[in-house]
Amino acid sequence: VAQANDSPSTVAQRYRTAMLVGYAAAEQGHYHTALINFRRALEARPGDRYATAAIQNMETYIARERSEVAKRAEIARLQTTVAAAVAASDWACAAASVERLVELVPPDSPDRARLIAYRGELAGMIASRDNLERWSTVCPGGQV
């Protein structure tokens, strides 16, 4: 935090150090540490466009990381649901879960190609109406 009696060179050094530490942390993927340091730089030099842009970038990277973590968690949950649905012959639930997985997996992934093929197999099971009385036991209320 800038002090009223700080010399201009002290403030400039504080800004420079915070920016350098921020860039180094960002380069290593330590976005929270980078964000803290870019905010320190902005405190030293309020309104600075470089510190402001760096802060916005770090906030974007952090949001992207959080989104990716949530996506991976949803994929893991859906994979578990598919396994349980198949074990229970709950083809409707399995198909709905696989459909959502297809949306989450990157288009160029070999996993997506396998999921699409599996989706076709499940469609065949649904078309044959196999074990109709046991549908929707794993995904109650049709929720995936």
Side-chain angles (χ1 to χ4, degrees):
V1 176
Q3 303 292 321
N5 57 356
D6 282 348
S7 71
S9 64
T10 301
V11 172
Q13 183 59 40
R14 187 178 299 121
Y15 169 84
R16 204 170 17 261
T17 299
M19 290 297 285
L20 290 173
V21 170
Y23 287 134
E27 192 171 302
Q28 295 176 353
H30 302 294
Y31 303 128
H32 290 280
T33 301
L35 180 61
I36 290 166
N37 282 282
F38 292 136
R39 286 182 176 157
R40 287 178 182 157
L42 190 61
E43 281 180 18
R45 197 179 285 172
D48 181 72
R49 69 181 183 149
Y50 299 107
T52 300
I55 289 167
Q56 290 171 344
N57 287 338
M58 293 310 103
E59 289 172 343
T60 298
Y61 296 154
I62 290 167
R64 194 176 299 148
E65 274 186 341
R66 285 182 182 147
S67 174
E68 196 57 37
V69 166
K71 182 178 167 181
R72 284 193 302 270
E74 185 177 2
I75 288 171
R77 182 187 62 77
L78 286 166
Q79 289 171 331
T80 300
T81 300
V82 168
V86 169
S89 299
D90 186 346
W91 309 122
C93 177
S97 300
V98 167
E99 191 63 40
R100 179 67 181 133
L101 278 167
V102 168
E103 295 170 8
L104 293 172
V105 175
D108 57 347
S109 168
D111 290 336
R112 186 171 186 173
R114 283 192 289 274
L115 284 168
I116 290 170
Y118 192 47
R119 180 174 61 187
E121 291 175 34
L122 291 170
M125 298 301 282
I126 290 170
S128 72
R129 305 262 190 239
D130 191 27
N131 294 324
L132 238 181
E133 71 281 356
R134 291 172 49 188
W135 278 30
S136 298
T137 58
V138 178
C139 295
Q143 300 214 359
V144 177

